[in-house]
């Protein structure tokens, strides 16, 4: 849920029964209670009110379920509809869950499936290379690290789970977005591109050339373009439809990893992503 939705919700929520002016100020509401009554919590409870038995619910019924004013439900619903998280039946004026939630759920399912299927292969890859192993997935125009195995060596890099990185200057991002549809690539290159290090490419034409090289050789290289002193090689993972849904990266400090040493990891890396892709249903007929 983006900041605009949160702010809109906070403006719109009002309690069904406003507190009495005579309520003692000395009786403070516990922190957990205040959190449960927050506007964001109310919006989440509204979404959770739907079920297989109640696919569509009207404003009055939602207000009773949530124990808030109908005007509050209406304004929350309007906000959630604008973000695609709810839809309104024009005939009954009742609300139902929107396709925006399906997209979010698909992203979570994809991430979890990839993580679960990839895990044993990632451990084998770390054992083979001795370097940090990263698993990343696409999130809009960035990538998110959803799994990492830190190198056992004293000098190593660390990748925190949940961290987001740009697509244009990271090996994992390039390995994913080089194979994206043209409109997605346009979206990635449309905004101002952050120059994270002196080596970061920010010219869209140069990045398109890099993407073309990734598609040709099957893997991406990152040479101090996202983080100083760090080199990474990454290759894409495909699902049963042949769509790139994630990428595996091998990274380490430049003191230990020359470009030649990094490219020496390409064969085991490509074997690893091929094995994970096969686990996700990708077969030779796509190749």
């Amino acid at each position: 849920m983006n900041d605009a939705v949160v702010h809109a919700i906070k403006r719109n929520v009002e309690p069904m029964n406003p507190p009495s002016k005579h309520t003692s100020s000395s009786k403070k509401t516990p922190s957990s209670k205040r959190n449960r009554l927050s506007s964001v919590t109310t919006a989440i409870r509204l979404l959770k009110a739907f079920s297989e038995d109640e696919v569509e619910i009207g404003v009055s019924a939602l207000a009773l379920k949530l124990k808030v004013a109908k005007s509050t439900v209406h304004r929350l619903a309007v906000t959630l509809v604008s973000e695609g998280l709810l839809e309104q039946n024009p005939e009954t004026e009742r609300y139902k869950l929107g396709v925006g939630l399906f997209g979010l759920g698909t992203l979570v399912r994809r991430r979890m499936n990839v993580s679960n299927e990839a895990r044993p292969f990632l451990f084998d890859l770390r054992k083979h290379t001795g370097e940090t192993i990263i698993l990343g997935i696409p999130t809009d125009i960035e990538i998110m690290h959803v799994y990492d195995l830190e190198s056992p060596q004293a000098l190593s890099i660390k990748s925190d789970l949940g961290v987001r990185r740009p697509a244009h200057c990271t090996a994992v991002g390039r390995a994913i977005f080089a194979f994206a549809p043209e409109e997605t690539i346009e979206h990635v290159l449309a905004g101002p591109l952050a120059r994270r290090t002196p080596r970061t490419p920010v010219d869209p034409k140069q990045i398109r050339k890099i993407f073309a090289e990734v598609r040709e050789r099957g893997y991406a290289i990152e040479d101090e373009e996202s983080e100083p002193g760090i080199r990474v090689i990454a290759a894409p993972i495909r699902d049963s439809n042949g769509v790139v849904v994630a990428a595996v990266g091998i990274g380490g400090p430049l003191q230990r990893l020359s470009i030649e040493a990094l490219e020496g990891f390409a064969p085991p890396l490509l074997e690893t992503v091929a094995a994970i892709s096969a686990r996700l249903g990708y077969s030779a007929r796509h190749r």
Side-chain angles (χ1 to χ4, degrees):
M1 192 176 295
N2 60 34
D3 291 340
V5 178
V6 173
H7 291 318
I9 291 172
K10 287 181 177 179
R11 289 197 305 270
N12 291 333
V13 170
E14 60 191 45
M16 175 176 278
N17 299 309
S20 170
K21 294 181 180 179
H22 301 292
T23 301
S24 172
S25 59
S26 62
K27 295 181 179 180
K28 294 184 178 180
T29 305
S31 176
S32 59
K33 181 73 171 178
R34 290 199 303 271
N35 289 338
R36 288 199 299 271
L37 296 177
S38 72
S39 56
V40 176
T41 299
T42 305
I44 294 171
R45 288 176 57 225
L46 189 155
L47 294 173
K48 288 184 174 181
F50 297 88
S51 66
E52 291 183 358
D53 296 328
E54 291 183 286
V55 177
E56 291 188 358
I57 310 177
V59 169
S60 297
L62 283 169
L64 287 173
K65 279 177 172 288
L66 303 179
K67 294 182 173 58
V68 296
K70 288 193 287 186
S71 58
T72 296
V73 171
H74 174 72
R75 288 194 287 263
L76 278 175
V78 168
T79 302
L80 294 170
V81 166
S82 70
E83 295 296 325
L85 303 183
L86 281 184
E87 295 175 1
Q88 186 176 33
N89 186 325
E91 296 181 1
T92 65
E93 295 187 347
R94 293 180 178 178
Y95 292 94
K96 58 184 178 180
L97 297 179
V99 294
L101 289 170
F102 177 80
L104 294 174
T106 300
L107 180 61
V108 173
R109 182 178 180 183
R110 178 187 302 167
R111 181 189 68 192
M112 295 309 296
N113 285 347
V114 171
S115 295
N116 292 339
E117 298 298 339
R119 188 170 301 155
F121 299 100
L122 300 182
F123 274 94
D124 287 345
L125 189 61
R126 182 180 65 173
K127 183 178 180 180
H128 182 85
T129 64
E131 300 296 346
T132 296
I133 308 300
I134 303 164
L135 177 66
I137 62 170
T139 59
D140 192 25
I141 61 173
E142 298 178 309
I143 56 102
M144 177 188 293
H145 294 177
V146 295
Y147 201 80
D148 78 282
L149 293 173
E150 191 172 347
S151 168
Q153 304 194 58
L155 184 61
S156 64
I157 66 171
K158 183 178 181 180
S159 172
D160 293 326
L161 291 181
V163 68
R164 293 172 182 257
R165 292 285 184 265
H168 69 285
C169 61
T170 58
V172 171
R174 291 168 178 174
I176 293 173
F177 285 93
F179 299 91
E182 178 58 32
E183 57 268 26
T184 301
I185 295 177
E186 287 284 351
H187 186 41
V188 170
L189 302 180
L193 301 173
R195 188 184 294 277
R196 292 172 59 85
T197 77
R199 297 177 63 89
T200 303
V202 294
D203 181 358
K205 290 184 179 179
Q206 183 181 1
I207 296 168
R208 283 184 176 278
K209 182 179 178 181
I210 292 172
F211 282 178
E213 293 172 350
V214 173
R215 289 191 293 270
E216 182 177 351
R217 64 190 179 191
Y219 60 86
I221 292 287
E222 170 192 329
D223 184 12
E224 294 191 276
E225 294 156 278
S226 177
E227 302 288 342
I230 301 300
R231 288 183 174 134
V232 182
I233 183 172
I237 295 172
R238 298 177 183 272
D239 66 8
S240 59
N241 296 314
V243 176
V244 173
V245 295
V248 174
I250 305 171
L254 61 84
Q255 292 93 329
R256 186 167 61 244
L257 289 183
S258 64
I259 293 298
E260 292 75 15
L262 199 66
E263 291 184 330
F265 290 148
L269 172 63
L270 292 174
E271 289 178 8
T272 297
V273 296
I276 298 170
S277 297
R279 293 287 299 175
L280 296 178
Y282 181 65
S283 64
R285 63 188 173 86
H286 294 108
R287 295 169 189 155

